């Protein structure tokens, strides 16, 4: 949470697009439920995708967690063993960076699940949204 809001507090360039500093995000437990479930599913089933194996998208998972949203997004990552690494990776990726810097989002949650037997070992999911 601290790293996300530190990133948002500074204007930055994401893949050639300039973004102004934006307001801090608040934590949301329903978004955490969606993020935790997806990170666990990826780690347990050894895959890496925005779409769950059952075909659900991030917006389907956020809705299923009971969050009523007007706009939503997701960042995922795999293989990063710590917060600093995953945040650096997301901020270096234009699409992920744009999600982090979007003023359209007001709430966030992040989860990381480790499975030493899976290909990437660490699986991350960040859900961002604005309630309806």
């Amino acid at each position: 949470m601290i790293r996300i809001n530190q990133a948002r507090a500074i204007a930055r360039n994401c893949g050639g697009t300039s973004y102004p500093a934006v307001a801090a995000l608040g934590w949301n437990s329903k978004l955490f439920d969606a993020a935790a479930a997806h990170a666990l599913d990826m780690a347990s089933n050894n895959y890496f995708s925005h779409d769950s194996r059952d075909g659900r998208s991030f917006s389907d998972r956020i809705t299923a967690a009971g969050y009523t949203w007007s706009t939503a997004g997701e960042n995922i990552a795999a293989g990063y063993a710590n917060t600093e690494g995953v945040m650096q990776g997301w901020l270096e990726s234009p699409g992920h960076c744009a999600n982090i810097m979007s003023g359209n989002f007001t709430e966030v949650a992040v989860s990381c699940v480790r499975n030493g037997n899976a290909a990437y070992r660490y699986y991350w999911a960040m859900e961002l949204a604005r309630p309806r």
Side-chain angles (χ1 to χ4, degrees):
M1 208 48 220
I2 292 168
R3 300 262 193 259
I4 294 165
N5 286 326
Q6 284 174 337
R8 288 173 61 88
I10 301 168
R12 68 182 62 246
N13 187 300
C14 300
T17 302
S18 295
Y19 290 86
V22 289
L25 297 172
W27 184 264
N28 183 278
S29 62
K30 291 179 181 177
L31 292 177
F32 177 74
D33 291 345
H38 190 51
L40 178 61
D41 188 44
M42 289 190 294
S44 298
N45 293 296
N46 197 24
Y47 76 97
F48 180 67
S49 176
H50 286 284
D51 293 327
S52 300
R53 287 282 170 94
D54 62 8
R56 291 182 304 149
S57 67
F58 70 88
S59 57
D60 295 329
R61 293 187 299 272
I62 291 170
T63 299
Y67 189 94
T68 304
W69 53 273
S70 60
T71 188
E74 177 178 72
N75 286 352
I76 60 172
Y80 295 97
N82 58 50
T83 304
E84 291 78 17
V86 76
M87 282 300 296
Q88 180 178 344
W90 280 332
L91 291 173
E92 290 174 358
S93 163
H96 294 109
C97 180
N99 275 347
I100 291 169
M101 295 304 295
S102 175
N104 293 328
F105 300 130
T106 59
E107 297 180 321
V108 67
V110 180
S111 179
C112 177
V113 174
R114 181 183 184 278
N115 178 353
N117 295 319
Y120 294 106
R121 295 181 54 200
Y122 296 91
Y123 293 80
W124 298 79
M126 173 192 283
E127 308 302 335
L128 307 104
R130 174 186 293 268
R132 185 171 311 224

